[in-house]
Amino acid sequence: MTASGTTNIAPAFGDVDDVREKLRQTGYLADEATSTTAFLADRLGKPLLVEGPAGVGKTELARALAQATGSELVRLQCYEGIDEARALYEWNHAKQILAIQAAGHRDWDATKGDIFSAEFLLARPLLTAISRSEPTVLLIDEIDKADVDIEGLLLEVLSDFAITIPEMGTVTAARRPIVLLTSNANRELSEALKRRCLYLYIDFPDAELEREILASRVPELPARLAEEIVRIVGVLRTLDIKKKPSVAETIDWGNTLLAMTTGEQAASGRIDDSLVARTLGVVLKHRPDVKTALRELKLGE
């Protein structure tokens, strides 16, 4: 696992239109800004920082890119307290102890060479992605939840796409992965990290795009019912609530209402107020949010 130079690999996409079409084939409907920045991330070999509210499709974009490019998706899920061992690598200490015991009275220098080898190394997501020679998409999810120290670690890794293991040497990417970092903007990221990345902000889709997404994911849903669902979800997102409905929850609501209405009702696009009230838990996940929606939509309790 010693250093090796990064080889020149043909880009995954021919142009921006190629990105949009290949993502569409996976079921991800990308707008112009998303298609363009995804194209540049691939062509320039730069990480892409994607910010936006929870539930707008940031993580789904990474999955779609992996599928569109025939890549393996390697995911580092960030959280408060995540450390270098969970992000990069750690040694299998239990296995090392057993190997030392089995070695008996062998010279330490000889034993050390054995136990600090790939056999005893537990690769975590960053090392896994850097080590792969096959197409890879590295998703660093919710980077804003991690401590600032992890940002410093990422600066080193994403600058040279290399990881130094003191006992073994430096692992340099033979094939650079496509890298996406996502953030819900819960805290401000460092300027140093931002400088190394392309930037994309994904907001909730407009009504037209959301209807198109809904039609793609729930094709049996009549157009009028889909239009009414998107209209109500749009109203819910304007309310002062803790968690605004995500696109995935719009899709879930479409499936729910399709299952709970007759063909004639669905085709008309009319949703009974009581049905809306009874199924709000599909799109709203906090009791105060449900109460606010019932009040503002005048649905009663």
Short mmCIF file of all heavy atoms in Angstrom, two decimals, residues 145-193:
data_model
loop_
_atom_site.label_atom_id
_atom_site.label_comp_id
_atom_site.label_asym_id
_atom_site.label_seq_id
_atom_site.Cartn_x
_atom_site.Cartn_y
_atom_site.Cartn_z
N LYS A 145 -21.76 18.31 10.79
CA LYS A 145 -21.97 17.69 12.10
C LYS A 145 -20.65 17.26 12.76
O LYS A 145 -20.62 16.97 13.96
CB LYS A 145 -22.88 16.46 11.97
CG LYS A 145 -24.34 16.81 11.68
CD LYS A 145 -25.20 15.57 11.71
CE LYS A 145 -26.67 15.92 11.49
NZ LYS A 145 -27.54 14.70 11.51
N ALA A 146 -19.59 17.21 11.98
CA ALA A 146 -18.29 16.77 12.51
C ALA A 146 -17.57 17.94 13.16
O ALA A 146 -17.88 19.11 12.92
CB ALA A 146 -17.44 16.17 11.40
N ASP A 147 -16.58 17.62 14.00
CA ASP A 147 -15.79 18.66 14.64
C ASP A 147 -14.85 19.31 13.62
O ASP A 147 -14.55 18.74 12.56
CB ASP A 147 -14.97 18.06 15.79
CG ASP A 147 -15.86 17.47 16.87
OD1 ASP A 147 -16.98 17.98 17.06
OD2 ASP A 147 -15.43 16.48 17.51
N VAL A 148 -14.34 20.48 13.99
CA VAL A 148 -13.44 21.22 13.09
C VAL A 148 -12.19 20.41 12.80
O VAL A 148 -11.61 20.52 11.70
CB VAL A 148 -13.08 22.58 13.71
CG1 VAL A 148 -12.07 23.32 12.85
CG2 VAL A 148 -14.33 23.44 13.91
N ASP A 149 -11.74 19.58 13.74
CA ASP A 149 -10.53 18.77 13.52
C ASP A 149 -10.66 17.88 12.28
O ASP A 149 -9.66 17.64 11.58
CB ASP A 149 -10.24 17.90 14.74
CG ASP A 149 -9.79 18.71 15.94
OD1 ASP A 149 -9.46 19.90 15.75
OD2 ASP A 149 -9.77 18.17 17.06
N ILE A 150 -11.86 17.39 12.03
CA ILE A 150 -12.07 16.53 10.86
C ILE A 150 -11.90 17.33 9.57
O ILE A 150 -11.41 16.81 8.57
CB ILE A 150 -13.45 15.86 10.92
CG1 ILE A 150 -13.49 14.86 12.07
CG2 ILE A 150 -13.80 15.16 9.61
CD1 ILE A 150 -12.53 13.69 11.93
N GLU A 151 -12.27 18.61 9.60
CA GLU A 151 -12.05 19.45 8.43
C GLU A 151 -10.56 19.52 8.11
O GLU A 151 -10.16 19.48 6.95
CB GLU A 151 -12.61 20.85 8.66
CG GLU A 151 -14.12 20.93 8.60
CD GLU A 151 -14.61 22.36 8.59
OE1 GLU A 151 -14.02 23.18 7.86
OE2 GLU A 151 -15.59 22.67 9.30
N GLY A 152 -9.73 19.67 9.16
CA GLY A 152 -8.29 19.71 8.94
C GLY A 152 -7.78 18.43 8.32
O GLY A 152 -6.92 18.45 7.43
N LEU A 153 -8.31 17.31 8.77
CA LEU A 153 -7.94 16.01 8.20
C LEU A 153 -8.33 15.95 6.72
O LEU A 153 -7.55 15.50 5.86
CB LEU A 153 -8.63 14.91 8.98
CG LEU A 153 -8.49 13.48 8.45
CD1 LEU A 153 -7.06 13.03 8.53
CD2 LEU A 153 -9.40 12.54 9.23
N LEU A 154 -9.53 16.44 6.41
CA LEU A 154 -10.00 16.41 5.02
C LEU A 154 -9.17 17.30 4.13
O LEU A 154 -8.96 16.99 2.94
CB LEU A 154 -11.47 16.83 4.95
CG LEU A 154 -12.48 15.83 5.53
CD1 LEU A 154 -13.89 16.42 5.50
CD2 LEU A 154 -12.45 14.54 4.74
N LEU A 155 -8.67 18.41 4.66
CA LEU A 155 -7.82 19.30 3.86
C LEU A 155 -6.61 18.55 3.34
O LEU A 155 -6.22 18.70 2.18
CB LEU A 155 -7.37 20.50 4.70
CG LEU A 155 -8.44 21.53 5.04
CD1 LEU A 155 -7.86 22.61 5.94
CD2 LEU A 155 -9.03 22.14 3.78
N GLU A 156 -6.01 17.73 4.20
CA GLU A 156 -4.84 16.96 3.79
C GLU A 156 -5.21 15.92 2.74
O GLU A 156 -4.54 15.77 1.72
CB GLU A 156 -4.20 16.28 5.00
CG GLU A 156 -3.65 17.24 6.04
CD GLU A 156 -3.00 16.50 7.20
OE1 GLU A 156 -2.56 15.36 6.99
OE2 GLU A 156 -2.95 17.07 8.31
N VAL A 157 -6.28 15.20 3.01
CA VAL A 157 -6.67 14.10 2.12
C VAL A 157 -7.11 14.62 0.76
O VAL A 157 -6.71 14.09 -0.29
CB VAL A 157 -7.79 13.25 2.76
CG1 VAL A 157 -8.29 12.19 1.79
CG2 VAL A 157 -7.30 12.60 4.04
N LEU A 158 -7.93 15.68 0.75
CA LEU A 158 -8.50 16.16 -0.50
C LEU A 158 -7.55 17.05 -1.30
O LEU A 158 -7.80 17.33 -2.47
CB LEU A 158 -9.81 16.93 -0.21
CG LEU A 158 -10.91 16.09 0.46
CD1 LEU A 158 -12.16 16.94 0.67
CD2 LEU A 158 -11.24 14.86 -0.37
N SER A 159 -6.48 17.51 -0.68
CA SER A 159 -5.50 18.31 -1.41
C SER A 159 -4.67 17.43 -2.34
O SER A 159 -4.48 17.74 -3.52
CB SER A 159 -4.57 19.05 -0.45
OG SER A 159 -5.28 20.05 0.24
N ASP A 160 -4.15 16.33 -1.80
CA ASP A 160 -3.25 15.47 -2.57
C ASP A 160 -3.85 14.10 -2.89
O ASP A 160 -3.22 13.31 -3.59
CB ASP A 160 -1.95 15.25 -1.79
CG ASP A 160 -1.24 16.56 -1.49
OD1 ASP A 160 -1.24 17.44 -2.35
OD2 ASP A 160 -0.70 16.69 -0.37
N PHE A 161 -5.05 13.84 -2.37
CA PHE A 161 -5.66 12.52 -2.51
C PHE A 161 -4.65 11.45 -2.11
O PHE A 161 -4.39 10.50 -2.83
CB PHE A 161 -6.19 12.29 -3.93
CG PHE A 161 -7.46 13.03 -4.20
CD1 PHE A 161 -7.43 14.34 -4.66
CD2 PHE A 161 -8.69 12.44 -3.96
CE1 PHE A 161 -8.61 15.02 -4.89
CE2 PHE A 161 -9.87 13.12 -4.18
CZ PHE A 161 -9.84 14.43 -4.65
N ALA A 162 -4.09 11.67 -0.93
CA ALA A 162 -3.09 10.74 -0.39
C ALA A 162 -3.25 10.67 1.13
O ALA A 162 -3.67 11.63 1.77
CB ALA A 162 -1.68 11.19 -0.74
N ILE A 163 -2.91 9.52 1.68
CA ILE A 163 -2.99 9.29 3.12
C ILE A 163 -1.68 8.65 3.57
O ILE A 163 -1.25 7.64 2.99
CB ILE A 163 -4.17 8.38 3.49
CG1 ILE A 163 -5.50 9.07 3.16
CG2 ILE A 163 -4.12 7.97 4.96
CD1 ILE A 163 -6.71 8.16 3.31
N THR A 164 -1.06 9.25 4.58
CA THR A 164 0.19 8.70 5.10
C THR A 164 -0.09 7.83 6.32
O THR A 164 -0.72 8.27 7.28
CB THR A 164 1.16 9.83 5.49
OG1 THR A 164 1.48 10.59 4.32
CG2 THR A 164 2.44 9.25 6.09
N ILE A 165 0.38 6.60 6.25
CA ILE A 165 0.31 5.66 7.38
C ILE A 165 1.74 5.52 7.89
O ILE A 165 2.58 4.92 7.21
CB ILE A 165 -0.26 4.30 6.94
CG1 ILE A 165 -1.63 4.48 6.29
CG2 ILE A 165 -0.34 3.34 8.11
CD1 ILE A 165 -2.20 3.22 5.66
N PRO A 166 2.06 6.09 9.03
CA PRO A 166 3.46 6.14 9.49
C PRO A 166 4.18 4.79 9.44
O PRO A 166 5.36 4.72 9.09
CB PRO A 166 3.33 6.65 10.94
CG PRO A 166 2.07 7.47 10.93
CD PRO A 166 1.15 6.75 9.99
N GLU A 167 3.47 3.71 9.78
CA GLU A 167 4.13 2.40 9.85
C GLU A 167 4.30 1.75 8.47
O GLU A 167 5.04 0.78 8.32
CB GLU A 167 3.31 1.45 10.72
CG GLU A 167 3.14 1.90 12.16
CD GLU A 167 1.95 2.86 12.33
OE1 GLU A 167 1.34 3.26 11.32
OE2 GLU A 167 1.63 3.18 13.49
N MET A 168 3.61 2.29 7.44
CA MET A 168 3.62 1.61 6.14
C MET A 168 4.01 2.49 4.96
O MET A 168 4.41 2.00 3.92
CB MET A 168 2.22 1.02 5.87
CG MET A 168 1.82 -0.10 6.81
SD MET A 168 0.14 -0.68 6.52
CE MET A 168 0.23 -1.18 4.79
N GLY A 169 3.85 3.80 5.09
CA GLY A 169 4.15 4.69 3.99
C GLY A 169 2.90 5.45 3.54
O GLY A 169 1.90 5.51 4.25
N THR A 170 2.98 6.03 2.36
CA THR A 170 1.90 6.88 1.85
C THR A 170 1.10 6.16 0.78
O THR A 170 1.66 5.55 -0.13
CB THR A 170 2.47 8.18 1.25
OG1 THR A 170 3.17 8.90 2.28
CG2 THR A 170 1.36 9.07 0.71
N VAL A 171 -0.21 6.22 0.93
CA VAL A 171 -1.12 5.66 -0.06
C VAL A 171 -1.64 6.81 -0.91
O VAL A 171 -2.30 7.72 -0.40
CB VAL A 171 -2.30 4.94 0.61
CG1 VAL A 171 -3.23 4.35 -0.44
CG2 VAL A 171 -1.81 3.84 1.54
N THR A 172 -1.32 6.80 -2.18
CA THR A 172 -1.76 7.84 -3.10
C THR A 172 -2.78 7.24 -4.06
O THR A 172 -2.61 6.13 -4.55
CB THR A 172 -0.58 8.41 -3.91
OG1 THR A 172 0.39 8.94 -3.00
CG2 THR A 172 -1.04 9.52 -4.84
N ALA A 173 -3.84 7.98 -4.32
CA ALA A 173 -4.91 7.46 -5.17
C ALA A 173 -4.40 7.13 -6.56
O ALA A 173 -3.81 7.98 -7.23
CB ALA A 173 -6.04 8.48 -5.25
N ALA A 174 -4.60 5.90 -6.98
CA ALA A 174 -4.30 5.53 -8.36
C ALA A 174 -5.38 6.07 -9.29
O ALA A 174 -5.13 6.36 -10.45
CB ALA A 174 -4.21 4.01 -8.49
N ARG A 175 -6.57 6.22 -8.73
CA ARG A 175 -7.69 6.77 -9.49
C ARG A 175 -8.50 7.65 -8.55
O ARG A 175 -9.09 7.17 -7.59
CB ARG A 175 -8.56 5.64 -10.05
CG ARG A 175 -9.76 6.12 -10.82
CD ARG A 175 -10.48 4.95 -11.46
NE ARG A 175 -11.51 5.40 -12.37
CZ ARG A 175 -11.87 4.77 -13.48
NH1 ARG A 175 -11.27 3.63 -13.79
NH2 ARG A 175 -12.82 5.24 -14.26
N ARG A 176 -8.52 8.93 -8.81
CA ARG A 176 -9.23 9.85 -7.92
C ARG A 176 -10.73 9.57 -7.92
O ARG A 176 -11.34 9.46 -8.98
CB ARG A 176 -9.00 11.30 -8.33
CG ARG A 176 -7.62 11.82 -8.02
CD ARG A 176 -7.56 13.33 -8.15
NE ARG A 176 -6.27 13.85 -7.77
CZ ARG A 176 -6.00 15.14 -7.61
NH1 ARG A 176 -6.97 16.03 -7.79
NH2 ARG A 176 -4.80 15.53 -7.25
N PRO A 177 -11.31 9.48 -6.76
CA PRO A 177 -12.76 9.32 -6.70
C PRO A 177 -13.46 10.65 -6.99
O PRO A 177 -12.87 11.72 -6.85
CB PRO A 177 -13.01 8.90 -5.25
CG PRO A 177 -11.88 9.50 -4.48
CD PRO A 177 -10.69 9.48 -5.41
N ILE A 178 -14.71 10.57 -7.42
CA ILE A 178 -15.57 11.75 -7.44
C ILE A 178 -16.00 11.98 -5.99
O ILE A 178 -16.51 11.06 -5.36
CB ILE A 178 -16.79 11.54 -8.34
CG1 ILE A 178 -16.35 11.31 -9.80
CG2 ILE A 178 -17.74 12.74 -8.26
CD1 ILE A 178 -17.50 10.96 -10.73
N VAL A 179 -15.75 13.17 -5.46
CA VAL A 179 -15.99 13.44 -4.04
C VAL A 179 -17.13 14.44 -3.86
O VAL A 179 -17.10 15.52 -4.45
CB VAL A 179 -14.73 13.98 -3.35
CG1 VAL A 179 -15.00 14.21 -1.86
CG2 VAL A 179 -13.57 13.02 -3.53
N LEU A 180 -18.11 14.06 -3.06
CA LEU A 180 -19.19 14.97 -2.67
C LEU A 180 -19.20 15.12 -1.16
O LEU A 180 -19.16 14.12 -0.44
CB LEU A 180 -20.56 14.44 -3.12
CG LEU A 180 -21.06 14.89 -4.50
CD1 LEU A 180 -20.31 14.12 -5.58
CD2 LEU A 180 -22.55 14.67 -4.62
N LEU A 181 -19.22 16.35 -0.69
CA LEU A 181 -19.42 16.65 0.72
C LEU A 181 -20.79 17.30 0.84
O LEU A 181 -21.12 18.21 0.07
CB LEU A 181 -18.36 17.60 1.26
CG LEU A 181 -16.89 17.20 1.14
CD1 LEU A 181 -16.29 17.68 -0.16
CD2 LEU A 181 -16.08 17.76 2.32
N THR A 182 -21.61 16.84 1.77
CA THR A 182 -22.91 17.46 1.96
C THR A 182 -22.95 18.18 3.30
O THR A 182 -22.27 17.79 4.26
CB THR A 182 -24.07 16.45 1.90
OG1 THR A 182 -24.09 15.66 3.09
CG2 THR A 182 -23.94 15.54 0.69
N SER A 183 -23.76 19.24 3.35
CA SER A 183 -23.92 20.01 4.58
C SER A 183 -25.33 20.58 4.63
O SER A 183 -25.85 21.06 3.62
CB SER A 183 -22.89 21.15 4.62
OG SER A 183 -23.19 22.08 5.64
N ASN A 184 -25.92 20.52 5.83
CA ASN A 184 -27.21 21.17 6.06
C ASN A 184 -27.03 22.59 6.58
O ASN A 184 -28.00 23.22 7.00
CB ASN A 184 -28.05 20.36 7.06
CG ASN A 184 -28.42 18.99 6.52
OD1 ASN A 184 -28.53 18.79 5.32
ND2 ASN A 184 -28.60 18.03 7.42
N ALA A 185 -25.78 23.06 6.56
CA ALA A 185 -25.44 24.42 7.00
C ALA A 185 -25.79 24.66 8.47
O ALA A 185 -26.18 25.76 8.85
CB ALA A 185 -26.11 25.47 6.11
N ASN A 186 -25.64 23.62 9.30
CA ASN A 186 -25.87 23.79 10.74
C ASN A 186 -24.75 24.60 11.39
O ASN A 186 -24.94 25.18 12.45
CB ASN A 186 -25.98 22.42 11.41
CG ASN A 186 -27.26 21.70 11.03
OD1 ASN A 186 -28.31 22.33 10.86
ND2 ASN A 186 -27.20 20.39 10.88
N ARG A 187 -23.59 24.60 10.77
CA ARG A 187 -22.49 25.47 11.22
C ARG A 187 -21.69 25.89 9.99
O ARG A 187 -21.74 25.25 8.93
CB ARG A 187 -21.58 24.76 12.23
CG ARG A 187 -20.72 23.66 11.65
CD ARG A 187 -19.68 23.19 12.67
NE ARG A 187 -18.90 22.07 12.18
CZ ARG A 187 -17.82 22.19 11.40
NH1 ARG A 187 -17.42 23.38 11.02
NH2 ARG A 187 -17.15 21.12 10.99
N GLU A 188 -20.96 26.99 10.14
CA GLU A 188 -20.17 27.51 9.03
C GLU A 188 -18.91 26.66 8.86
O GLU A 188 -18.19 26.39 9.82
CB GLU A 188 -19.77 28.96 9.30
CG GLU A 188 -19.11 29.65 8.13
CD GLU A 188 -20.06 29.90 6.96
OE1 GLU A 188 -21.28 29.93 7.18
OE2 GLU A 188 -19.56 30.04 5.83
N LEU A 189 -18.65 26.22 7.65
CA LEU A 189 -17.44 25.45 7.37
C LEU A 189 -16.28 26.40 7.15
O LEU A 189 -16.45 27.58 6.81
CB LEU A 189 -17.66 24.58 6.13
CG LEU A 189 -18.81 23.57 6.21
CD1 LEU A 189 -18.95 22.83 4.89
CD2 LEU A 189 -18.60 22.58 7.35
N SER A 190 -15.07 25.90 7.32
CA SER A 190 -13.89 26.75 7.18
C SER A 190 -13.70 27.19 5.74
O SER A 190 -14.05 26.49 4.79
CB SER A 190 -12.64 25.99 7.66
OG SER A 190 -12.31 24.96 6.74
N GLU A 191 -13.14 28.39 5.59
CA GLU A 191 -12.86 28.91 4.25
C GLU A 191 -11.83 28.04 3.53
O GLU A 191 -11.88 27.88 2.31
CB GLU A 191 -12.36 30.35 4.33
CG GLU A 191 -13.42 31.35 4.76
CD GLU A 191 -14.59 31.39 3.79
OE1 GLU A 191 -14.36 31.29 2.58
OE2 GLU A 191 -15.74 31.51 4.25
N ALA A 192 -10.90 27.46 4.29
CA ALA A 192 -9.87 26.61 3.68
C ALA A 192 -10.51 25.40 2.99
O ALA A 192 -10.11 25.01 1.89
CB ALA A 192 -8.87 26.15 4.73
N LEU A 193 -11.49 24.80 3.66
CA LEU A 193 -12.17 23.65 3.06
C LEU A 193 -12.99 24.08 1.86
O LEU A 193 -12.97 23.42 0.81
CB LEU A 193 -13.07 22.97 4.10
CG LEU A 193 -13.83 21.73 3.61
CD1 LEU A 193 -12.86 20.63 3.20
CD2 LEU A 193 -14.78 21.21 4.69
#
